[in-house]
Amino acid sequence: MSSTPARRLNYDNINPHVKAAQYAVRGELAVKSEEYRAKIAKGDLDGLPFKQVISANIGNPQQLDQKPITFFRQVLSLLEHPKLLEHEDVLLNQLGYKSDVLDRAKWLLKNVGSVGAYSASNGVPAIRQSIADFLERRDGFPANQADIYLSGGASSGVNTILHIICADANSGILVPIPQYPLYTASLSVLNAKCVPYHLDESKNWGTDLDTIKASYEKAVAEGVDVRAIVIINPGNPTGASLPEEDVRGVLEFARQARLVVIADEVYQTNVFVGQFHSFKGVLRKLQQENPDGRYDGIELASLHSVSKGMVGECGHRGGYFELVNFDPKVQAEIYKFVSITLCAPVIGQCLVELMVNPPKEGEPSYELYRQEYDGIYDSLRERATALYEAFKQMEGVECAEPQGSMYLFPTVTIPPKAVEAAREANRTPDEFYCLRLLEATGVCLVPGSGFGQKDGSQHFRTTFLAPGTEWVGRIIEFHKGFMDQYR
């Protein structure tokens, strides 16, 4: 008999709500792709029909060779090592730093102190004011820094807001399907109820108010206390960019149903068709157009992050959320909740300040900043178009035109013989397709089932962050072989 004592924890006695949570973008296929990457790094290509892994499964720009913005990184370098400022001549004359880089670093150090120290729980006041100024420039309406909370990326902000809203197991949140699985996973951990509403694929994955109302009414009839609606705009995983009329429609429904609006707007600079309409800006317009006060009761929480857009600084974990019309006592509890984790990473907070207050025209760093920013934007749009054109020529694949964010979410019609093979392998058809693609090409996508999709439909999500377009050809070649094999 073994003398080793039994462990206190085992799979059967840990938190069941954590076990129930699913997070497909870092799921089985992502793990397998990293195993392939490790083999290739060791020079072990035995049995692999590819020499490179393309991680098109997750919006992680700098893993896929998106270069950091020079102004941002130069300022951060001085914040991390302020003694460099004692050698301004070297910085300016030998290392290519500009005077506005030094000025911004000094301003941030004056207001932050040390990036190695805690800040106020809701973030550095001067940085919150910079965000408020940005929001006023963006929307044309004033913002109050007291309503702004710095967070460790938008994910941390979502976690905070859902913890406050979800009071018990009967609390329900309307969540778009398909959706970024952060929402369903977080609700699972909270033991709260996800109330799904389907986006309209025939309208470029736009919102459909009749569908939202039907989902809401069904949940209410079942006794669910529906408290909020999540909107991801531009969309993840769909890439949809909502027109203003859709934003107005959601706000009107939220007013009628007394729902908190959670606006996930982290892709607001990634818009290729039309323009971005913030929920805050449209809400203020509605209030201005209706002075009777009918829209004054809408509670809105909107989120932004340094992880996406042209910044792409996922690893620095910087973000913020703004609260509109929340009860002061509720905001006090939100402050207490964020205080439990002390504060967002201070270097991430500084990066948020740089994102919302970049170099302006006429300043020394502006020309290079504009060149880098536009170059990243144009490259993303070019690769989005290349993928879209590739999908258009693939048998049984339909894809909406790229509108925004950094994703496409095409429908793929999988032949019955492949559906049967997937069933025998105990996989969904889209999982089976994506796994076979990874094994054949090294390209890692995410099955549509990881985001939610209508029964009987099959999709996959791909980013268009990877450099070049050669890997797109790999997908086309694989797809033809797959269809021929299972036709």
Side-chain angles (χ1 to χ4, degrees):
M1 176 180 284
S2 172
S3 61
T4 303
R7 293 185 177 94
R8 182 66 185 88
L9 295 180
N10 59 63
Y11 183 77
D12 294 325
N13 70 14
I14 62 173
N15 187 331
H17 309 305
V18 173
K19 291 192 294 182
Q22 300 290 325
Y23 193 69
V25 296
R26 287 185 180 263
E28 178 192 3
L29 271 75
V31 171
K32 195 174 185 71
S33 73
E34 289 306 315
E35 291 171 356
Y36 287 151
R37 193 189 304 279
K39 281 189 69 173
I40 292 169
K42 292 177 183 175
D44 180 7
L45 301 177
D46 186 38
L48 291 181
F50 51 85
K51 298 179 181 179
Q52 178 191 29
V53 171
I54 298 293
S55 299
N57 59 301
I58 191 166
N60 192 10
Q62 293 187 24
Q63 183 196 42
L64 295 168
D65 291 343
Q66 180 171 308
K67 302 305 180 197
I69 300 287
T70 300
F71 178 80
F72 295 170
R73 285 299 184 89
Q74 286 181 337
V75 173
L76 295 188
S77 71
L78 301 178
L79 299 180
E80 291 282 12
H81 193 39
K83 284 183 71 67
L84 291 172
L85 287 165
E86 297 174 8
H87 305 280
E88 290 191 9
D89 58 330
V90 176
L91 293 170
L92 294 170
N93 299 320
Q94 297 181 41
L95 297 179
Y97 286 53
K98 303 293 185 183
S99 59
D100 54 344
V101 172
L102 277 60
D103 292 343
R104 184 68 63 86
K106 291 174 184 176
W107 181 85
L108 281 165
L109 287 168
K110 175 184 174 183
N111 285 282
V112 170
S114 169
V115 294
Y118 292 134
S119 73
S121 296
N122 56 346
V124 176
I127 294 177
R128 298 202 312 270
Q129 186 58 53
S130 271
I131 297 168
D133 294 341
F134 156 75
L135 292 170
E136 183 167 353
R137 292 193 302 271
R138 186 194 71 182
D139 297 330
F141 297 94
N144 184 351
Q145 61 93 7
D147 297 326
I148 294 166
Y149 296 72
L150 276 298
S151 58
S155 300
S156 173
V158 168
N159 183 56
T160 295
I161 293 162
L162 291 180
H163 266 83
I164 296 300
I165 292 175
C166 297
D168 52 41
N170 197 46
S171 299
I173 309 291
L174 280 157
V175 174
I177 299 297
Q179 52 89 43
Y180 177 50
L182 166 67
Y183 293 93
T184 47
S186 298
L187 291 171
S188 178
V189 171
L190 285 165
N191 194 27
K193 287 185 168 57
C194 173
V195 180
Y197 68 89
H198 284 279
L199 300 173
D200 189 343
E201 186 170 5
S202 69
K203 296 179 180 177
N204 279 333
W205 296 109
T207 55
D208 182 273
L209 282 177
D210 290 337
T211 301
I212 294 173
K213 289 175 183 176
S215 296
Y216 169 79
E217 289 167 0
K218 180 176 181 289
V220 170
E222 293 170 351
V224 178
D225 177 16
V226 184
R227 294 179 156 213
I229 180 170
V230 173
I231 304 286
I232 307 174
N233 179 43
N236 178 4
T238 65
S241 182
L242 296 183
E244 183 174 346
E245 63 191 68
D246 281 22
V247 177
R248 284 174 174 260
V250 170
L251 289 168
E252 172 60 22
F253 174 69
R255 181 187 74 82
Q256 294 174 8
R258 294 183 62 241
L259 298 176
V260 178
V261 177
I262 303 172
D264 184 333
E265 299 176 330
V266 302
Y267 298 99
Q268 60 187 260
T269 57
N270 290 81
V271 176
F272 308 128
V273 176
Q275 65 182 88
F276 169 69
H277 300 281
S278 76
F279 270 78
K280 164 84 173 297
V282 175
L283 174 58
R284 292 300 191 223
K285 283 185 188 176
L286 285 168
Q287 291 172 322
Q288 196 174 58
E289 294 163 5
N290 298 273
D292 58 7
R294 74 181 74 173
Y295 292 101
D296 292 351
I298 294 178
E299 294 143 285
L300 168 67
S302 58
L303 303 109
H304 196 12
S305 165
V306 301
S307 297
K308 311 302 178 185
M310 273 38 79
V311 183
E313 294 279 5
C314 305
H316 274 108
R317 309 311 301 137
Y320 71 84
F321 59 92
E322 181 191 20
L323 303 178
V324 176
N325 196 42
F326 273 62
D327 184 304
K329 289 185 177 180
V330 172
Q331 283 202 217
E333 294 304 307
I334 291 172
Y335 186 91
K336 180 175 71 179
F337 185 88
V338 299
S339 297
I340 294 170
T341 53
L342 299 172
C343 69
V346 175
I347 197 72
Q349 293 186 43
C350 292
L351 194 47
V352 170
E353 201 282 329
L354 299 175
M355 175 184 72
V356 301
N357 186 22
K360 299 177 181 62
E361 190 167 5
E363 294 178 346
S365 294
Y366 177 78
E367 186 176 342
L368 178 59
Y369 167 78
R370 192 78 254 170
Q371 177 185 328
E372 291 174 338
Y373 187 97
D374 291 347
I376 293 168
Y377 177 88
D378 291 342
S379 179
L380 286 172
R381 185 169 58 180
E382 177 185 334
R383 293 198 295 271
T385 301
L387 266 175
Y388 172 64
E389 293 298 329
F391 293 149
K392 283 201 317 189
Q393 64 182 276
M394 287 163 54
E395 178 187 355
V397 174
E398 296 180 13
C399 185
E401 181 184 1
Q403 291 185 295
S405 76
M406 49 184 62
Y407 311 104
L408 295 176
F409 196 68
T411 298
V412 55
T413 301
I414 295 179
K417 282 176 63 177
V419 173
E420 180 57 33
R423 187 179 299 113
E424 291 173 1
N426 197 30
R427 295 189 179 278
T428 63
D430 53 353
E431 280 179 335
F432 182 74
Y433 179 92
C434 290
L435 180 60
R436 292 290 302 274
L437 173 71
L438 174 62
E439 292 170 342
T441 68
V443 177
C444 184
L445 310 180
V446 187
S449 51
F451 303 93
Q453 55 194 352
K454 286 186 176 178
D455 291 342
S457 69
Q458 311 296 335
H459 301 79
F460 58 80
R461 187 194 78 168
T462 177
T463 71
F464 38 82
L465 292 167
T469 54
E470 174 273 333
W471 59 280
V472 179
R474 291 192 230 169
I475 297 175
I476 295 172
E477 184 179 351
F478 162 80
H479 182 79
K480 183 179 184 303
F482 182 89
M483 298 299 283
D484 287 344
Q485 179 180 355
Y486 291 104
R487 193 176 309 283

